[in-house]
């Protein structure tokens, strides 16, 4: 036989091919003949035909699905399995079997005739395992960092829930305060200037104002005394630490002893002895007895906290509230006894009021009487302003609560921060990559930018819009979080709006590795993050297979 004809012969002609040659391990159990010997048969995997067992891998296609030729290229659209012992098994198209080319996926050379391709699986497998071990170490370290991100999310959940609860209580209080201030403002605007001035001249209001002035004066003098006390304390501390007890100056000694007692300090000589013996004895330290307060009296701590707000009270508002409390009429301070509208039947009341208003208007025009002057703006603005401020404060509190509720809802939303909240920690984290002419920055879940290094305007490359939401990708899966999209950036001249796709993978650091521009104004950042490093236990089964 001519030597070169050797390579033209089909594989089965050269040697008996195993019937399971090229079969994937998952299908081995289905390549079992029915019967034995020359009468043994086998049914195609799709059930389209039953053939002799000897016809399997005979380089002739008998089954419609090509399952009878797993180890030859006789049937189109089939795959060949390389066992690659010492490495990882792989599949290649059956059309590449026996074509004289050594496929890199088949490091054992099983896709070609014996002797054509050498078996390199040992070397390839060792190199592959080294890479896998390195990646495994990265994943293991990254998964610990990811766990800290999840712990942060749990703490953030408690914080947001507490914030919502506090906001709800605050909103209730502010709603009551708005209602109270609205009532005060309405009544203040309904009073005449004379009526308000009359109330200001009441002994109660005058006493309140006088007490307020007295308290403010006491506060001023108290602060002066505190400043003097601090200065005297510094002087006595200097005397206490600097005097020489060997001089036996009894006046100085008595002054030092008195200061130590009043300030609750140990004697300076005792401290020196304690330093020498390295022992602490505080039994001789004078302690100030706790003051017993009368009922209703304020403690020193409460004075520090609440005195200023008490002195800033709106006494006019309190005066109006006092009127409401004791049932004083809203208009002019007149008794109901002299209020004619209380005696007129309801049917005649509109005509009476119209007549009264006409007469009053006519008398005002003639100058006989002076009409009731509305409260001056300076006098009413404080009540109305307080009401409006309270309304704005209530609106802000409601909006803040709504934002917090929305933030809590996104915390464990797969389309935002992941089912375990593992991405929440990275919200607003900014990553940069200097490429020479430009520095590219992405603040996760916010915005991506292109900043020139040699002057010029920065461009926004887009704001966060979604994860990898292409068809077929399951929300919350590892593949789903492998990409982030930032869209609607600054429009390119004669081009589209700028956009960025982050291609993300597991890493021990949050970092941008590379920046490319595959299409005009469409950028791609490769990014690593510990948030993508799943726990080692999740991938243990995969590693065992390798």
């Amino acid at each position: 036989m001519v030597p070169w004809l050797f390579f033209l012969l089909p594989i089965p002609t050269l040697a008996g091919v195993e019937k399971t040659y090229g079969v994937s391990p998952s299908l081995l159990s289905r390549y079992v003949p029915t019967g034995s010997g020359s009468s043994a048969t086998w049914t195609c995997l799709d059930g389209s035909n039953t053939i002799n067992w000897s016809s399997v891998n005979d380089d002739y296609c008998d089954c419609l699905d090509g399952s009878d030729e797993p180890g030859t290229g006789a049937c189109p659209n089939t795959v060949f399995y390389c066992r690659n012992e010492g490495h990882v098994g792989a599949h290649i198209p059956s059309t590449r079997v026996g074509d004289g080319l050594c496929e890199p996926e088949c490091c054992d050379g099983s896709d070609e005739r014996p002797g054509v391709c050498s078996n390199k699986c040992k070397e390839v497998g060792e190199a592959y395992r080294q890479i896998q071990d390195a990646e495994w170490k990265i994943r293991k370290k990254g998964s610990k960092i990811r766990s800290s991100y999840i712990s942060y999310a749990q703490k953030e959940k408690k914080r947001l829930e507490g914030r919502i609860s506090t906001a709800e209580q605050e909103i209730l209080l502010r709603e009551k305060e708005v209602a109270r201030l609205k009532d005060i403002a309405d009544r203040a605007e309904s009073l005449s200037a004379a009526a308000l001035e009359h109330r200001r001249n009441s002994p109660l209001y005058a006493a309140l104002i006088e007490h307020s002035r007295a308290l403010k004066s006491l506060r001023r003098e108290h602060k002066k005394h505190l400043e003097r006390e601090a200065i005297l304390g510094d002087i006595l501390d200097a005397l206490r630490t600097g005097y020489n007890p060997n001089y036996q100056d009894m006046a100085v000694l008595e002054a030092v002893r008195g200061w130590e007692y009043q300030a609750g300090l140990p004697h300076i000589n005792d401290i020196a002895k304690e330093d020498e013996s390295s022992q602490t004895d505080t039994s001789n330290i004078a302690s100030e007895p706790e003051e017993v307060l009368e009922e209703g009296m304020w403690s020193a701590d409460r004075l520090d906290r609440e005195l200023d707000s008490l002195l800033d009270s709106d006494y006019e508002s309190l005066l109006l509230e006092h009127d409401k409390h004791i049932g004083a009429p809203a208009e002019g301070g007149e008794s109901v006894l002299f209020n004619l509208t209380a005696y007129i039947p309801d049917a005649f009341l509109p005509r009476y009021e119209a007549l009264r208003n006409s007469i009053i208007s006519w008398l005002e025009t003639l100058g006989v009487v002076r009409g009731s002057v509305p409260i001056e703006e300076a006098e009413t603005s404080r009540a109305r302003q307080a009401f409006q401020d309270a309304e704005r404060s209530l609106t802000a509190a409601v909006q803040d609560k709504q934002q917090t509720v929305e933030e809590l809802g996104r915390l464990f939303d797969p389309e935002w921060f992941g089912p375990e909240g593992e991405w929440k920690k990275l919200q607003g984290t900014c990553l940069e990559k200097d490429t020479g002419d430009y520095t590219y920055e992405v603040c996760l879940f916010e915005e991506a930018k292109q900043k020139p290094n040699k002057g010029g305007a920065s461009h926004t490359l887009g704001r966060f819009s979604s994860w990898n939401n292409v068809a077929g990708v399951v929300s919350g899966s590892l593949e789903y979080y492998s990409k982030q999209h930032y869209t609607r950036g600054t429009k390119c001249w004669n081009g589209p709006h700028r956009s960025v796709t982050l291609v993300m993978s597991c890493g021990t650091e949050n970092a941008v590795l590379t920046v490319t521009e595959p299409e005009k104004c469409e950028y791609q950042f490769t990014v690593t993050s510990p948030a993508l490093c799943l726990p080692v236990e999740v991938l243990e089964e995969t590693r065992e297979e390798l």
Side-chain angles (χ1 to χ4, degrees), residues 410 412-418 445 464-467 475-476 480-481:
R410 290 177 173 179
F412 298 106
D413 184 349
E415 295 185 2
W416 274 93
F417 302 118
F445 299 97
F464 174 73
S465 59
S466 68
W467 289 98
S475 175
Y480 182 73
Y481 298 118

Side-chain angles (χ1 to χ4, degrees), residues 44 48-49 51 55-56 58 60-64 66 68-69 75:
C44 303
S48 61
N49 195 8
I51 61 175
S55 297
V56 176
D58 66 348
Y60 182 81
C61 194
D62 298 296
C63 297
L64 294 178
D68 62 309
E69 298 298 322
C75 299

Side-chain angles (χ1 to χ4, degrees), residues 348-389:
F348 299 99
L349 190 59
R351 279 182 286 178
Y352 162 75
E353 290 179 343
L355 177 62
R356 183 194 62 182
N357 292 338
S358 298
I359 294 173
I360 292 174
S361 176
W362 178 69
L363 292 174
E364 288 176 357
T365 304
L366 295 177
V368 177
V369 297
R370 188 176 65 177
S372 59
V373 181
I375 301 176
E376 299 296 333
E377 183 179 354
E379 296 174 343
T380 60
S381 61
R382 208 184 320 175
R384 180 57 59 181
Q385 185 65 42
F387 165 63
Q388 292 174 347
D389 289 345

Side-chain angles (χ1 to χ4, degrees), residues 457-520:
S458 297
H459 295 291
T460 177
L461 303 182
R463 299 191 68 84
F464 174 73
S465 59
S466 68
W467 289 98
N468 185 21
N469 57 355
V470 298
V473 176
V474 180
S475 175
S477 64
L478 190 62
E479 184 181 3
Y480 182 73
Y481 298 118
S482 65
K483 289 183 180 180
Q484 268 193 356
H485 297 292
Y486 292 73
T487 57
R488 305 299 297 174
T490 305
K491 194 176 188 304
C492 283
W493 181 83
N494 199 24
H497 288 275
R498 291 175 170 86
S499 62
V500 176
T501 298
L502 305 189
V503 179
M504 311 183 77
S505 61
C506 167
T508 57
E509 294 181 351
N510 294 293
V512 177
L513 302 184
T514 62
V515 175
T516 58
E517 190 178 0
E519 300 290 340
K520 183 179 180 181

Side-chain angles (χ1 to χ4, degrees), residues 21-24 27 31 42 44-46 48 56-57 59-82 90-98 103 106 111:
Y21 179 65
V23 177
S24 173
L27 297 175
Y31 280 81
W42 181 80
C44 303
L45 296 185
D46 64 352
S48 61
V56 176
N57 269 339
D59 204 30
Y60 182 81
C61 194
D62 298 296
C63 297
L64 294 178
D65 62 355
S67 57
D68 62 309
E69 298 298 322
T72 72
C75 299
N77 302 322
T78 57
V79 294
F80 174 84
Y81 179 75
C82 310
H91 291 89
I92 62 171
S94 294
T95 54
R96 290 158 60 182
V97 175
E103 305 297 336
C106 294
D111 60 311

Side-chain angles (χ1 to χ4, degrees), residues 155-297:
K155 293 177 182 178
E156 188 70 0
K157 177 177 180 287
K158 292 181 180 179
R159 185 187 72 83
L160 292 174
E161 289 174 342
R163 186 173 173 181
I164 291 172
S165 177
T166 302
E168 289 173 346
Q169 296 175 8
E170 184 178 351
I171 288 171
L172 289 176
L173 293 175
R174 294 195 180 192
E175 286 175 342
K176 292 179 181 178
E177 182 68 4
V178 166
R180 184 183 73 85
L181 293 175
K182 183 179 185 302
D183 181 62
I184 291 173
D186 291 343
R187 285 188 289 111
E189 291 177 352
S190 68
L191 284 174
S192 67
L196 182 60
E197 187 62 32
H198 177 72
R199 283 163 173 73
R200 286 179 181 156
N201 292 331
S202 69
L204 175 62
Y205 183 77
L208 281 173
I209 296 299
E210 193 63 28
H211 279 76
S212 174
R213 291 170 181 165
L215 282 173
K216 289 179 180 178
S217 300
L218 282 173
R219 180 178 61 178
R220 183 189 67 243
E221 295 300 320
H222 178 63
K223 288 182 178 179
K224 290 182 182 179
H225 284 298
L226 288 178
E227 292 173 358
R228 292 171 186 162
E229 181 181 329
I231 294 172
L232 289 173
D234 292 340
I235 295 173
L236 290 171
D237 281 335
L239 177 63
R240 173 173 173 266
T241 56
Y243 91 104
N244 189 342
N246 295 325
Y247 286 162
Q248 300 296 322
D249 189 333
M250 297 305 296
V252 174
L253 180 62
E254 287 299 322
V256 170
R257 291 281 192 182
W259 168 241
E260 290 172 344
Y261 177 79
Q262 291 296 328
L265 300 171
H267 187 46
I268 189 67
N269 291 341
D270 296 337
I271 293 177
K273 294 177 182 178
E274 289 168 3
D275 292 340
E276 293 174 2
S277 62
S278 300
Q279 295 180 353
T280 303
D281 182 10
T282 59
S283 60
N284 294 326
I285 299 177
S287 59
E288 186 176 351
E290 184 176 352
E291 183 180 5
V292 179
L293 299 176
E294 296 180 16
E295 184 178 356
M297 296 293 287

